[in-house]
Amino acid sequence: MVKRPVTIRTSMDMENRPIAHLVQEASQYKSRVYIEMEDKKINAKSIMGMMSLNLSEGTNLTVVTEGEDEKTAADGVETFLVTSE
């Protein structure tokens, strides 16, 4: 299991559909991918779950991955959240 604290640096402007792109990023890995924020643990591959979070630039969260490609999955999701496009 990999647990990685991340501060969002990417614009989460809904016009650019960042939640959908985040779900696509998480879904390409075999590992289970979760976002932990406050008292919530949400499956990052679930569009409805991810939409329930109030994600915005500057938000602190934890990326949790578990499975055969957990390090690669954590790296990919973290990169998505911190890279300005």
Side-chain angles (χ1 to χ4, degrees), residues 5-78:
V6 175
T7 300
I8 297 175
R9 299 281 179 230
T10 300
S11 170
M12 297 306 278
D13 177 16
M14 290 306 291
E15 201 169 293
N16 295 327
R17 301 183 335 185
I19 299 297
H21 293 150
L22 177 55
V23 170
Q24 286 177 337
E25 177 68 32
S27 294
Q28 69 182 337
Y29 304 105
K30 293 179 182 178
S31 293
R32 290 179 299 283
V33 181
Y34 297 97
I35 301 296
E36 290 182 348
M37 201 172 110
E38 298 166 1
D39 61 343
K40 295 180 181 178
K41 182 176 182 179
I42 303 294
N43 180 346
K45 297 179 183 182
S46 165
I47 188 76
M48 295 304 288
M50 292 306 296
M51 288 176 68
S52 73
L53 295 176
N54 183 19
L55 299 178
S56 59
E57 192 170 354
T59 298
N60 295 312
L61 52 83
T62 302
V63 175
V64 181
T65 58
E66 188 172 356
E68 62 185 80
D69 59 353
E70 61 191 22
K71 184 177 180 333
T72 304
D75 290 345
V77 173
E78 178 183 21

